[in-house]
Coordinates of all heavy atoms in Angstrom, one line a residue:
V412 N 2.0 17.3 2.8 CA 3.0 18.2 2.2 C 3.5 19.2 3.3 O 2.6 19.7 4.0 CB 2.3 18.9 1.1 CG1 3.3 20.0 0.4 CG2 1.8 17.8 0.1
S414 N 4.3 22.4 5.3 CA 3.8 23.9 5.2 C 5.0 24.7 5.0 O 6.1 24.5 5.3 CB 3.1 24.2 6.4 OG 3.0 25.5 6.6
E419 N 4.3 30.7 13.4 CA 3.5 31.7 12.9 C 4.3 33.0 12.9 O 3.8 34.0 12.2 CB 2.3 31.8 14.0 CG 2.5 32.4 15.3 CD 1.3 32.4 16.1 OE1 0.4 31.4 16.2 OE2 1.1 33.4 16.7
V442 N -4.0 20.7 14.9 CA -4.2 19.4 14.5 C -3.0 18.5 14.6 O -3.0 17.4 15.1 CB -4.7 19.4 12.9 CG1 -4.7 17.9 12.4 CG2 -6.0 20.0 12.8
L485 N -19.3 40.2 34.0 CA -18.9 40.8 35.2 C -20.2 40.7 36.2 O -20.0 40.6 37.4 CB -18.6 42.2 35.0 CG -17.2 42.4 34.4 CD1 -17.0 43.9 34.0 CD2 -16.0 42.1 35.4
V491 N -18.9 30.5 32.9 CA -18.0 29.5 32.4 C -17.7 29.8 30.9 O -18.6 30.1 30.3 CB -18.6 28.1 32.6 CG1 -17.7 27.0 32.0 CG2 -18.8 27.8 34.1
I492 N -16.5 29.6 30.6 CA -16.1 29.8 29.2 C -15.9 28.3 28.6 O -14.9 27.6 29.2 CB -14.8 30.5 29.0 CG1 -15.0 31.9 29.6 CG2 -14.4 30.5 27.6 CD1 -13.7 32.8 29.6
N495 N -13.4 24.4 22.9 CA -13.3 23.1 22.0 C -11.9 23.2 21.4 O -11.1 24.0 21.7 CB -14.5 23.0 21.0 CG -14.4 24.2 19.9 OD1 -13.5 24.9 19.8 ND2 -15.5 24.3 19.2
A499 N -9.1 26.2 21.5 CA -7.8 25.9 22.3 C -6.7 26.3 21.3 O -5.6 26.7 21.8 CB -7.8 24.5 22.7
V513 N -12.6 38.3 34.2 CA -14.1 38.3 34.7 C -14.4 37.2 35.7 O -15.6 37.0 36.1 CB -15.1 38.1 33.6 CG1 -14.9 39.2 32.5 CG2 -15.0 36.8 32.9
E527 N -7.8 11.3 25.2 CA -6.5 11.9 24.9 C -6.6 13.4 24.5 O -5.7 14.2 24.9 CB -5.9 11.2 23.7 CG -5.6 9.7 23.9 CD -6.8 8.7 23.9 OE1 -7.9 9.1 23.5 OE2 -6.7 7.6 24.6
E530 N -7.2 15.6 27.6 CA -5.9 15.8 28.4 C -5.0 16.8 27.6 O -4.4 17.6 28.3 CB -5.2 14.4 28.6 CG -5.9 13.4 29.6 CD -6.0 14.1 31.1 OE1 -5.2 15.1 31.4 OE2 -6.7 13.7 31.8
A549 N -16.8 15.3 33.8 CA -18.0 15.0 33.1 C -19.0 14.2 33.9 O -19.6 13.2 33.6 CB -17.7 14.3 31.8
P554 N -29.5 18.0 29.6 CA -30.7 17.2 29.2 C -31.0 17.4 27.7 O -30.7 18.4 27.2 CB -31.9 17.7 30.1 CG -31.2 18.6 31.1 CD -29.8 19.0 30.7
A565 N -20.4 19.0 36.9 CA -21.5 19.4 37.7 C -21.2 20.9 38.3 O -22.1 21.7 38.3 CB -21.8 18.5 38.9
T593 N -27.7 32.0 30.5 CA -27.6 33.1 29.5 C -26.3 32.9 28.7 O -25.3 32.5 29.3 CB -27.3 34.5 30.4 OG1 -28.5 34.6 31.1 CG2 -27.1 35.5 29.6
A628 N -13.9 44.4 29.6 CA -14.2 44.0 30.9 C -13.2 44.8 31.9 O -13.6 45.3 33.0 CB -13.9 42.5 31.1
A632 N -14.3 47.4 35.0 CA -14.1 46.7 36.3 C -14.6 47.4 37.5 O -15.0 46.8 38.4 CB -12.6 46.4 36.4
A634 N -17.2 49.5 37.3 CA -18.6 50.0 37.1 C -19.5 49.3 38.1 O -19.2 48.1 38.5 CB -19.0 49.7 35.8
E641 N -27.4 48.2 32.7 CA -27.9 49.1 31.8 C -27.3 48.7 30.4 O -27.9 48.7 29.3 CB -27.6 50.4 32.3 CG -27.8 51.6 31.2 CD -29.1 51.7 30.5 OE1 -30.1 51.2 31.1 OE2 -29.1 52.2 29.3

Side-chain angles (χ1 to χ4, degrees):
V412 179
S414 161
E419 67 180 50
V442 170
L485 289 168
V491 177
I492 302 172
N495 67 14
V513 300
E527 295 76 19
E530 287 298 340
T593 299
E641 165 60 22

